[in-house]
Amino acid sequence: MAAKSKGAPNLYGSFIHSAPGAFLASKLGLPQPAELRRYKAGEPALPGPVLLGGKGRLAEPVRALLSDYTVADSLASGTKYGALVFDATGIDSIDALAQLFEFFQPAMRSLAPSGRVVVLGTTPELVGSVDAQIAQRALEGFTRSVGKELLRGATSQLVYVHPDAGAAATGVESTLRFLLSGKSAFVDGQVIRVGAADSVAPASWDKPLAGKVAVVTGAARGIGATIAEVFARDGATVIVADIPAAGEALSDTANKIGATALALDVTAPDAAERLADFATERFGGIDIVVHNAGITRDKLLANMDEGRWSSVINVNLAAPHRITSGLVAKGVLKEGGRVIDVSSIAGIAGNRGQTNYGASKAGVIGMVDAESPLLAAKGITINAVAPGFIETAMTAAIPVGTREAGRLMSSLLQGGQTVDVAETIAYFASPASNAVSGNVVRVCGQSLIGA
Ligand code: NAD
């Protein structure tokens, strides 16, 4: 599977895992990053049974969807649960929020390391009563706060499900499987919205992209190379694209996973056309496009030249927008296709020295918001990941103090691996995620930045 990302040395992490470091940490109460549970084919999906609670419309369908897992209905003393899953769709008033306290308070110490908390609610704006809307919105503060309290690599998420979702709630399955698995290791404190559409489970959950053609831009190295690896692992036929100057690294990525390489500068005026012609000739079209190519050209705005400004806006924002529009207009991105953009927590919080980058990555979120309803007519979904601190060449270039702070200022107390971003993208790419569109999911270990 994906090689460990090439990041800079993790000074605090190495210290805290040494004998004197661990001793000092326990004496002084220093934060101790846990080793996160990550997906490995064939390993159990969870480190223990699922404790399922709540009395809303989703509890019984979810029990059926979790037939591969051991599910318990009541808390047993001494058991460590792999996940606490709570159907909060029945919470329709402020008083009813007490159900959260009743279920979670006694169970909080019974969650296994790298365990999962998942709360299922109903999209607040669509519930139809003022009291229920208030109560459903409250779930967000609850799940994010739980994320900040959990230790040892455990995470907490909220899934808002459209009130018109079918009785079997099949559209929720890919989201639930992703969140319970090690694939969501570095996703924490997130809210995912699932639409009303039903989904069909793939023939194999280990090869959900079998038969799909996927394009990944900026795939010569870093996050893009790992996305390509994960897509190949999941059964996709992969086209990896990068600038001509990155040709050698691009060939290495391609050869390693049996992908096809395409030298392509995404800012070229004919980039969409070249990609469309290439993919149509070789593979008959495209099912999945990931706009991962991205650059930073940091400077305080007062010192920034026009070149730094425009190159970042062009690569990170204008190119993905132009290429998606071109592929859709030509019908090369097939019906039921997937568009996945790469934003950043800097696009949510802003960042000193990154007015260009922050604007481009916030614009990416705007692209998801604006294009999601338009693409829905063709059954195409569009979503984005917003990575936080990920161990790559990009973050290795950050000065050491800022870098250590970047790692520690999160609930999981560490940087993420490129595979964490790639797994989230693969979840969006899955055919079973057809009810998942218009989301921006942070892959940041619940970073304090932009929280
Ligand atoms: P990276 O610099 O390691 O890789 C980026 C790749 O994009 C390179 O191979 C580069 O050659 C390619 N590229 C640049 N301009 C291109 C162009 N015009 N056409 C085609 N390819 C081009 O970066 P990374 O850390 O792997 O980041 C990947 C994406 O994730 C970027 O969009 C970045 O903004 C985003 N991101 C990264 C982090 C992080 O912590 N590393 C955090 C937030 C967001």
Side-chain angles (χ1 to χ4, degrees), residues 168-227:
T170 53
V172 185
E173 186 170 9
S174 71
T175 302
L176 207 50
R177 282 180 178 267
F178 168 66
L179 293 177
L180 294 182
S181 77
K183 293 180 176 179
S184 65
F186 202 58
V187 176
D188 195 8
Q190 295 307 290
V191 181
I192 300 180
R193 287 168 182 245
V194 175
D198 282 327
S199 296
V200 176
S204 157
W205 283 104
D206 283 329
K207 294 267 177 220
L209 302 184
K212 301 293 176 191
V213 177
V215 178
V216 183
T217 68
R221 66 175 202 185
I223 294 172
T226 311
I227 298 167

Side-chain angles (χ1 to χ4, degrees), residues 217-225 227 241-246 249 264-268 291-297 314-316 319 342-346 357 361 385-395 398 418 421:
T217 68
R221 66 175 202 185
I223 294 172
I227 298 167
D242 210 300
I243 47 173
L264 181 79
D265 181 337
V266 294
T267 63
H291 297 295
N292 164 78
I295 59 169
T296 51
R297 296 287 181 269
N314 282 338
V315 175
N316 297 1
V342 179
S343 178
S344 163
I345 56 170
Y357 188 75
K361 294 298 188 181
V385 289
F389 187 100
I390 304 297
E391 305 286 356
T392 63
M394 197 184 251
T395 46
I398 298 173
T418 56
V421 181

Side-chain angles (χ1 to χ4, degrees), residues 15 32 98 117 199 273 275 302 370 379 411 438:
F15 168 71
Q32 298 194 52
V117 165
S199 296
E273 201 150 38
L275 182 54
S411 296

Side-chain angles (χ1 to χ4, degrees), residues 312-322 359-365 367:
V312 169
I313 299 288
N314 282 338
V315 175
N316 297 1
L317 182 58
H321 183 46
R322 207 168 35 235
S360 72
K361 294 298 188 181
V364 162
I365 296 172
M367 216 153 62

